[in-house]
Amino acid sequence: MLRRTTRENSSARKTATATKTKTTTTTTTTTTTTTKTTTTNTTKTRGSAVVKSKRVKPVPKRKPDLDGPTIYNLFEDDTNNRVAHPLVHASMKEYKRVDKSEALAYFSDSVDSIKVTVGLSTPSTVTLPKREALCLDTHVDYKQSYVFNSGCAVWGIGFCPKVPEKDTTPNIHYLATAGCRDPGQQKYTLLQTQPEGSYLNSIQLWRMDLSLNGPQKQPVLDICLLHDYGVVWDLKWCPYGAYDNELVEDSMDKDKLPKLGIIACLFGDGTVRTIVVPHPVALRSKYPDVQENETLYMQITRARCTLSLPGTTPTAMAWGGAELLSVGHSSGHIVLWNMSEILKTGLEKNEKTAQGKAIVCNAPSHDGCVMCIEWHGIVNPSEYISSGVDGKIVYHDTTDPFISQVLIRNRVIVNEMTWPSHSLKAIAHDSDNTVLIMNLDVTSQFKVLERMFSSYVKPWGMASTEHHSFIAVGLVDGWLRINNINQIRRKSKPFFQRTVYLLCHNKETNMYQYIEDVTSSDVDIFKYNVPSSRYMDNAVLISRVKTRSLFLMI
């Protein structure tokens, strides 16, 4: 039976919407720090958008929590000062400095500078070099946003959680991005592995000053972690507490460094590796010849833990608090790893006995590859949901791990889900490109299934926050939309979905266009569109095809 009690709130997931696609040509990432109340006159056609923008004052007597999250937290946070893995530190033995000339082999030569059109009243085209960022406050008034040219297809992205009591620079935050280094040149699948040493790639760590006082400051690519583990399908930071500003205990080991965080990556060589990232300030103190705004290139010589099982390939992962790491496999199994001990001692791929001891549970969950895992809560959660290529969305409880419950069986592969800890509503998409709310509380006034987002194309990314009741959804065609999961739908009244921005890409000119201040759209308007099929013409009915087939057989 599903539990009817809500979880205690946890720290905010500082995530940005990112594509987890297998083939893409997108090389830019946008990050928005604040939301303004604006309106825009928009004329939109299928495949194109013409925007005529006009800024106005916020509508009076309009609830601000319908247009976007405010600067005040709606839910309390009890994980800000929690500490996790206090005895785990970064080590210089796991890294080696590399010159910039040697580091160029880990990046793509096909992606160079890109051109982005930004601005509302007076649009302008800006040339953005690779591995650099663009501040939008000089092009759009009061807009605290950035556009990044990472030089690769971004498949994993996330902000590093910090501990406020230890943090001496609260305005400085670090954003990690990773993915495929050569977008558009070659297609990759989850079951296609690149042997270790055959594919050079990198994990980028951006330093951002998110202070709202004064003009925006340019983000800097602080550290590049170079590796030869293949493409990065996904990356996830340890959700809380794994942050050190300085080493507290006395140690004679000169190789120890305070850690910025612990990051888990799903690599293309068929492994999940955890990396203890050193704090950039402490790492730069080892190399005084490197300038403050100069990128430091560090090669990963050894990951702290390497998680793998014989005969299967990892396809999804998620942290279950700070102690557990859940990994879904191509066989349909979900394995729970106990990270508290192996992060101290380390774990190699060939240490089968130690790997067996670190496994908490290995339970069959799906009939095929596991595509997504989402936990309910941040601090010591026990419930999570998973989706796979079999179309199932399954509910799990670690207190009874071998008894699961199928919530929904879809006609499509569910790639992305989210489940905020402050709510019993899980969010996933279906075969009609619609994002649905699955209400798991039968005593609630909301429906069991309720439409939240609709679009022409498939959702590729979802994110939720632990401080507010908003959900962000990224679409294939470049739209980023948000909505409030606690908004009640009423009859004869429209139910709107808010748009944060649209990032268009013109393949002919290879130019990007950043569009914002797009008016909200009605969720129900998309259900009147003719659904598209990649197998047959839309006018052909399944019943007619069956009848004609039987007639020919006779």
Side-chain angles (χ1 to χ4, degrees):
M1 296 295 293
L2 296 180
R3 298 191 173 185
R4 308 303 179 198
T5 58
T6 57
R7 291 271 162 197
E8 195 173 338
N9 176 54
S10 307
S11 64
R13 298 180 192 170
K14 297 180 179 179
T15 60
T17 304
T19 58
K20 189 188 177 184
T21 61
K22 313 315 172 206
T23 58
T24 179
T25 57
T26 303
T27 60
T28 59
T29 303
T30 60
T31 303
T32 304
T33 57
T34 60
T35 303
K36 300 295 181 181
T37 304
T38 56
T39 60
T40 306
N41 298 325
T42 307
T43 303
K44 187 180 184 301
T45 59
R46 186 72 176 269
S48 63
V50 179
V51 180
K52 299 178 180 180
S53 304
K54 181 180 179 181
R55 284 185 172 271
V56 297
K57 295 181 179 180
V59 179
K61 298 183 180 179
R62 181 75 179 270
K63 294 183 178 180
D65 56 349
L66 295 180
D67 294 326
T70 62
I71 61 175
Y72 304 103
N73 294 336
L74 183 62
F75 303 103
E76 295 295 333
D77 190 356
D78 63 339
T79 62
N80 272 341
N81 294 317
R82 286 181 179 266
V83 177
H85 308 293
L87 301 181
V88 177
H89 303 291
S91 176
M92 289 297 298
K93 297 178 181 179
E94 300 174 349
Y95 299 94
K96 182 181 71 172
R97 185 187 175 185
V98 176
D99 295 334
K100 184 177 180 179
S101 58
E102 301 178 11
L104 293 178
Y106 292 81
F107 303 103
S108 174
D109 297 331
S110 61
V111 180
D112 203 351
S113 59
I114 61 174
K115 294 183 178 180
V116 185
T117 301
V118 295
L120 296 177
S121 57
T122 57
S124 60
T125 302
V126 181
T127 300
L128 184 60
K130 58 182 177 183
R131 295 187 291 279
E132 290 192 12
L134 172 66
C135 299
L136 295 182
D137 62 339
T138 57
H139 302 276
V140 183
D141 294 337
Y142 311 111
K143 190 66 178 180
Q144 299 288 335
S145 302
Y146 308 88
V147 177
F148 295 85
N149 180 11
S150 62
C152 67
V154 180
W155 292 351
I157 188 171
F159 278 100
C160 175
K162 302 168 74 175
V163 180
E165 286 187 351
K166 297 182 179 181
D167 189 14
T168 58
T169 55
N171 293 328
I172 302 298
H173 293 271
Y174 294 91
L175 178 69
T177 61
C180 173
R181 75 171 188 184
D182 47 1
Q185 294 186 355
Q186 185 176 354
K187 297 181 180 180
Y188 299 91
T189 62
L190 277 171
L191 301 183
Q192 175 187 358
T193 59
Q194 303 93 40
E196 182 179 350
S198 63
Y199 188 98
L200 304 181
N201 206 347
S202 65
I203 301 173
Q204 301 177 6
L205 195 65
W206 297 80
R207 183 177 75 245
M208 305 173 61
D209 189 345
L210 300 183
S211 175
L212 299 179
N213 299 325
Q216 281 186 293
K217 296 183 180 180
Q218 189 76 15
V220 177
L221 181 56
D222 204 352
I223 298 176
C224 263
L225 302 179
L226 311 176
H227 62 85
D228 56 359
Y229 306 140
V231 299
V232 181
W233 293 108
D234 198 5
L235 63 84
K236 299 286 180 63
W237 290 95
C238 180
Y240 68 91
Y243 175 82
D244 295 329
N245 192 33
E246 59 183 6
L247 293 177
V248 178
E249 70 274 7
D250 296 332
S251 176
M252 300 300 295
D253 190 356
K254 296 182 180 180
D255 293 327
K256 278 188 177 182
L257 290 175
K259 63 181 180 295
L260 177 67
I262 302 173
I263 191 170
C265 297
L266 180 61
F267 289 105
D269 63 347
T271 62
V272 173
R273 286 179 165 89
T274 56
I275 302 169
V276 183
V277 181
H279 199 289
V281 176
L283 185 61
R284 285 179 174 273
S285 64
K286 299 285 185 178
Y287 307 102
D289 58 318
V290 181
Q291 301 297 324
E292 182 181 2
N293 293 332
E294 183 182 354
T295 304
L296 182 60
Y297 300 95
M298 302 297 296
Q299 182 183 6
I300 302 175
T301 58
R302 175 184 175 272
R304 182 63 56 92
C305 301
T306 303
L307 312 179
S308 66
L309 293 179
T312 183
T313 303
T315 54
M317 67 171 185
W319 286 90
E323 306 295 331
L324 292 179
L325 182 64
S326 56
V327 180
H329 292 265
S330 58
S331 60
H333 287 66
I334 296 180
V335 181
L336 303 182
W337 297 83
N338 186 0
M339 306 301 297
S340 57
E341 293 297 330
I342 59 177
L343 282 174
K344 301 177 185 177
T345 58
L347 184 64
E348 295 291 341
K349 185 177 181 179
N350 55 0
E351 297 177 358
K352 303 300 181 182
T353 304
Q355 286 192 351
K357 294 180 180 180
I359 294 178
V360 178
C361 175
N362 184 0
S365 304
H366 292 271
D367 299 329
C369 297
V370 181
M371 299 303 297
C372 183
I373 303 174
E374 278 293 324
W375 288 79
H376 187 214
I378 302 296
V379 181
N380 300 325
S382 62
E383 300 166 309
Y384 65 95
I385 55 177
S386 63
S387 64
V389 297
D390 55 359
K392 296 179 182 178
I393 298 178
V394 184
Y395 167 86
H396 309 266
D397 195 331
T398 56
T399 59
D400 196 358
F402 294 98
I403 304 297
S404 58
Q405 181 176 352
V406 178
L407 300 178
I408 293 180
R409 179 70 179 267
N410 286 308
R411 297 173 295 170
V412 69
I413 299 174
V414 180
N415 293 323
E416 289 291 338
M417 302 183 299
T418 184
W419 193 5
S421 63
H422 53 72
S423 175
L424 284 176
K425 300 175 185 177
I427 292 89
H429 68 85
D430 63 0
S431 58
D432 298 326
N433 301 328
T434 301
V435 177
L436 299 176
I437 298 177
M438 298 179 295
N439 191 5
L440 305 183
D441 186 4
V442 296
T443 62
S444 174
Q445 60 179 332
F446 296 93
K447 297 179 181 179
V448 177
L449 285 177
E450 190 172 3
R451 186 187 299 108
M452 186 176 181
F453 293 95
S454 295
S455 64
Y456 297 109
V457 296
K458 186 177 182 180
W460 270 3
M462 296 184 190
S464 60
T465 171
E466 305 303 321
H467 289 301
H468 298 276
S469 54
F470 276 86
I471 303 297
V473 176
L475 305 176
V476 171
D477 53 357
W479 293 85
L480 176 64
R481 293 192 171 107
I482 61 173
N483 215 338
N484 196 325
I485 62 175
N486 291 333
Q487 185 178 176
I488 300 176
R489 298 197 63 171
R490 302 186 185 277
K491 292 183 178 180
S492 70
K493 290 188 177 181
F495 187 78
F496 290 102
Q497 52 188 0
R498 281 78 187 170
T499 298
V500 180
Y501 68 83
L502 168 63
L503 187 63
C504 303
H505 178 235
N506 191 332
K507 293 184 179 180
E508 296 180 357
T509 60
N510 196 23
M511 292 183 60
Y512 293 86
Q513 184 178 9
Y514 178 84
I515 303 174
E516 63 170 16
D517 281 359
V518 182
T519 54
S520 302
S521 58
D522 190 357
V523 173
D524 296 328
I525 195 174
F526 293 92
K527 69 180 181 181
Y528 301 108
N529 299 324
V530 178
S532 60
S533 175
R534 55 181 176 177
Y535 301 109
M536 59 188 69
D537 188 78
N538 296 329
V540 179
L541 300 179
I542 300 298
S543 58
R544 294 177 185 176
V545 174
K546 280 188 175 182
T547 304
R548 185 170 179 80
S549 299
L550 291 175
F551 179 77
L552 293 176
M553 290 175 64
I554 294 174

